[in-house]
Amino acid sequence: MPPITFKLLHLTLLLLLLHICRTNASLLYRRKSFTWRATLDSCTGIASSMEQSIFSPKEAELILPSKSASSAFARHEFCNYPQFLQKLSLTLGLCRVLPSTEHFCNLCTSILPINVLSFGKPVLKQRSNSICCVQIPIVGGLLAKVNPDLADNGFLRFIWHQEKNNITLVTEIAGNFQPALAGSTVPIPYWRKVLYSSTQRLFHEYVMRRYHGFVLKEFDKQCLDNPY
C-alpha cells in the first residue's frame, strides 16, 4: 500500500473513532433493556406484539425532564412514526410516506406504486400510569387485511411511562389487526403461521428496535439542546 494511501486510511479511521467517541460521550441516557413478544392467533387470525425499552440516565444526579416536557416530546415522536419508516438508514430508500386524501398517510414502495400500509390520523389517548399514549389506526395496505364492516382493524399504540429515574417506552400492535400473510382461512394453516412469523413478524421487531433507539437519541438531543 502506498504511504500516502496508508496515511489517508489512518486519518479516516481516526476521524471515525473520534466521531464515535463524541457521539457516545454526548448521550445522557442509555437503554437498560429491550424486550419483545409477538403472537398470531390461529383461531382468529389476529396478530399482536409488544416491545418495551427502559431508559435511564447515565449519571445518577441527572434529573429527568418534567412530565409535561416529556409528554410533548413523546407526542411529537409518536405522531410522526410513519415518517420514521422512510428513513434511508432503515429501509434503504425503498419506502416513502405519502399524504392521503382517503386516510392520513400511506407507506408506499419507492420503485413501484405499491401501498404497503395505510395509517389513520394519530389519536391521543388517556391511559393510567402513563404521561403520553398515542394510537395510530391501521386502515389498509398490502400487509393488512381490512374488514370494512369493522370499526377497528388494528392499530399501533405508543406509550411513554416516566417515574423516578426510569423512562419506559412501550409500542404495541393491538386491536383486530389481521396480517394479509395469514390468509382468510381460519384456523390459520400452519405454513401461513410459519410464513408470517419468519418474515413480517421479525421485520416488525427489527423496525421497532430501531425506532426505540431513534427515540432515545432524539430525547437525548432535546435534553442537550434544552437542559432542564
Side-chain angles (χ1 to χ4, degrees):
M1 181 181 294
I4 188 169
T5 304
F6 178 79
K7 289 181 179 179
L8 286 173
L9 179 61
H10 184 64
L11 179 60
T12 302
L13 289 174
L14 285 176
L15 290 174
L16 179 60
L17 286 172
L18 178 61
H19 172 72
I20 293 173
C21 291
R22 289 182 62 185
T23 302
N24 291 337
S26 68
L27 288 176
L28 301 175
Y29 299 86
R30 61 187 176 91
R31 177 156 55 183
K32 293 173 62 178
S33 65
F34 176 84
T35 56
W36 75 286
R37 59 173 174 77
T39 60
L40 177 61
D41 192 304
S42 298
C43 297
T44 63
I46 293 176
S48 63
S49 74
M50 189 278 292
E51 305 81 31
Q52 176 178 288
S53 289
I54 298 178
F55 306 143
S56 64
K58 283 189 172 182
E59 304 295 336
E61 63 272 12
L62 187 64
I63 300 175
L64 292 177
S66 67
K67 290 186 176 182
S68 60
S70 292
S71 177
F73 165 82
R75 183 169 63 251
H76 175 269
E77 296 301 328
F78 294 165
C79 290
N80 283 283
Y81 171 76
Q83 282 65 40
F84 167 78
L85 298 175
Q86 66 182 353
K87 286 181 69 66
L88 182 63
S89 60
L90 180 71
T91 52
L92 304 177
L94 298 176
C95 294
R96 57 179 177 167
V97 175
L98 301 175
S100 169
T101 54
E102 184 181 0
H103 311 298
F104 179 65
C105 64
N106 297 325
L107 176 67
C108 303
T109 56
S110 299
I111 301 174
L112 299 174
I114 298 174
N115 180 15
V116 180
L117 279 175
S118 294
F119 298 108
K121 187 176 181 180
V123 179
L124 189 64
K125 294 287 186 178
Q126 296 295 324
R127 191 178 179 90
S128 60
N129 301 323
S130 69
I131 64 172
C132 183
C133 177
V134 170
Q135 290 182 184
I136 302 180
I138 300 170
V139 294
L142 181 67
L143 296 181
K145 187 170 63 175
V146 173
N147 185 344
D149 296 327
L150 291 179
D152 169 20
N153 282 287
F155 54 86
L156 298 171
R157 180 187 289 140
F158 304 81
I159 305 169
W160 185 282
H161 298 279
Q162 181 172 311
E163 56 181 284
K164 295 183 179 178
N165 275 346
N166 282 332
I167 294 169
T168 304
L169 171 60
V170 179
T171 52
E172 298 176 285
I173 293 178
N176 295 316
F177 175 66
Q178 294 181 285
L181 286 177
S184 56
T185 303
V186 289
I188 297 172
Y190 177 74
W191 70 269
R192 281 193 174 274
K193 191 166 185 178
V194 171
L195 177 64
Y196 170 77
S197 298
S198 59
T199 55
Q200 188 173 341
R201 170 178 171 267
L202 292 179
F203 185 70
H204 176 76
E205 186 271 335
Y206 161 75
V207 169
M208 282 306 182
R209 182 186 287 270
R210 292 286 304 273
Y211 177 70
H212 283 217
F214 170 78
V215 171
L216 171 61
K217 288 182 180 179
E218 291 300 305
F219 184 66
D220 185 83
K221 187 188 303 181
Q222 174 166 302
C223 291
L224 286 171
D225 294 340
N226 302 284
Y228 299 92

